Amino acid sequence: MSHQHHHGQTGKVLYWSLAATSAFVVLEAFAGFRSGSLALLSDAGHNFTDALALLLAAFGFYLQAKPADQVKTFGYQRAAVLAAFVNACTLVLLAGFILYESYIRLISPQVMHEGTMIGVAAIGLIVNLGIVLGLHGDHHHDLNIRAAWIHMLGDAVSTAGIIVGGVLIHYTGWLRVDPIISALIAIMIVWSAWDIIKESMNVLLEGLPRGVNLDTVVVEMRGVAGVLDVHDLHIWSLGSNAHALCCHVLIDDMPPSSSDGILKEITVVLAERFQIRHATVQFEHAPCVGAIAGCCTMLSQPVHRH
């Protein structure tokens, strides 16, 4: 019940955040055109991708909660990872556009109204910080939510930079502060998006889950009483925080009822030590031979016990 309640609260935060961000995009874009501030316009573009990010995150969040069915036997958890990947890619594209516009403005600075910059950015800072706080509890565990959270945190930092830039322009009159801040925003966007791109690609390509060491998993499994060897081991992520494993385990020749205790101990080790709760273990009673395709391709060397 508490998990469902928490899930519902996260969904509400995403929907309200989407509404607030969309409204602010309209305000900031209008203010950017009126004041002539590239920083405001670039931040409005950033906020627009934030709105898309929140929309994708909400949709991915909805899909990943759907149960498995006869077609999607693992469920829809990858939908949220795909949403995170698309979010991060849109950030990189936006950053490229902002850098180009910043270069143009550095060559030909334009007069702007710094008071509008500061006022609108201050509103944006309040909106973004509110969303960051609302999503804070889930961003450590869900890649999809983390992508949206990084979007909003980056925008909070960029709006704070716009406020600083507006103050500098007011007191120094140096108009190139505006495109310089825009370029810094773009660099920060790329930096924040890169980690999401790497991790989401790793999940989509079924790479080793973040924080899991293959050799450590093998050593822990071989440490279970009755296990002689572990090979043909594969570990991958179903979603942001759901991992799966399949492998061959060599044990002494015994009836299935006797090997049940070994299997239970292996699943406990995998769940408690590595948060792997979907494990498929194939027991073998004789070392595999090269004629069995693929069986001996990974981790076939046993660990000698002292």
Side-chain angles (χ1 to χ4, degrees), residues 89 186 223:
C89 289

Side-chain angles (χ1 to χ4, degrees), residues 135-151:
L135 297 176
H136 179 71
D138 296 288
H139 83 279
H140 292 295
H141 312 292
D142 191 307
L143 182 63
N144 179 40
I145 300 299
R146 181 148 62 93
W149 185 81
I150 287 179
H151 265 268

Side-chain angles (χ1 to χ4, degrees), residues 233-306:
L233 175 67
H234 304 274
I235 307 173
W236 69 99
S237 293
L238 302 173
S240 299
N241 45 30
H243 310 313
L245 173 149
C246 67
C247 67
H248 294 183
V249 172
L250 179 65
I251 61 175
D252 287 325
D253 192 3
M254 62 181 72
S257 58
S258 300
S259 64
D260 187 59
I262 300 175
L263 181 59
K264 287 181 179 179
E265 182 63 25
I266 289 174
T267 56
V268 168
V269 168
L270 293 175
E272 293 183 353
R273 290 277 286 107
F274 307 103
Q275 288 71 55
I276 299 173
R277 295 181 172 83
H278 186 99
T280 303
V281 178
Q282 177 178 319
F283 281 145
E284 296 175 343
H285 308 299
C288 69
V289 295
I292 303 177
C295 183
C296 296
T297 57
M298 293 184 65
L299 302 167
S300 58
Q301 296 301 317
V303 173
H304 299 287
R305 295 193 179 95
H306 297 291

